Amino acid sequence: MRLQESIIEAVGQVYNYLAENGEVTTKKMQKDLDLDDNFTSLSLGWLAREDKVAIEKRGAYTKVSLI
């Protein structure tokens, strides 16, 4: 599988996870989905670029949710 295809697959996993779970920390989502840190970051960047997610820093945690 090409790298871009892997990223697109990860974006779908992140989007569906957020749709089912609402606001979560990035660490929890990464652990639950068993995604590599890079794929988590790339997926959130992709979704942020498309204005699909809200990302908020709260203390030591980063929370994300769908818009």
Side-chain angles (χ1 to χ4, degrees):
M1 184 180 293
R2 291 182 21 226
L3 182 58
Q4 186 171 355
E5 292 169 343
S6 296
I7 295 167
I8 292 168
E9 183 177 313
V11 169
Q13 290 177 357
V14 168
Y15 185 90
N16 291 333
Y17 180 86
L18 291 172
E20 292 175 9
N21 295 283
E23 184 180 70
V24 296
T25 65
T26 54
K27 291 296 180 191
K28 177 170 175 30
M29 179 181 62
Q30 182 178 345
K31 181 181 175 193
D32 289 350
L33 292 176
D34 194 29
L35 283 178
D36 178 87
D37 193 33
N38 289 331
F39 281 101
T40 302
S41 297
L42 289 166
S43 297
L44 290 174
W46 184 306
L47 292 169
R49 178 72 172 104
E50 292 185 350
D51 293 324
K52 301 285 186 191
V53 292
I55 304 171
E56 184 178 336
K57 185 76 169 164
R58 293 190 190 159
Y61 300 100
T62 303
K63 296 267 192 163
V64 295
S65 61
L66 292 180
I67 296 176

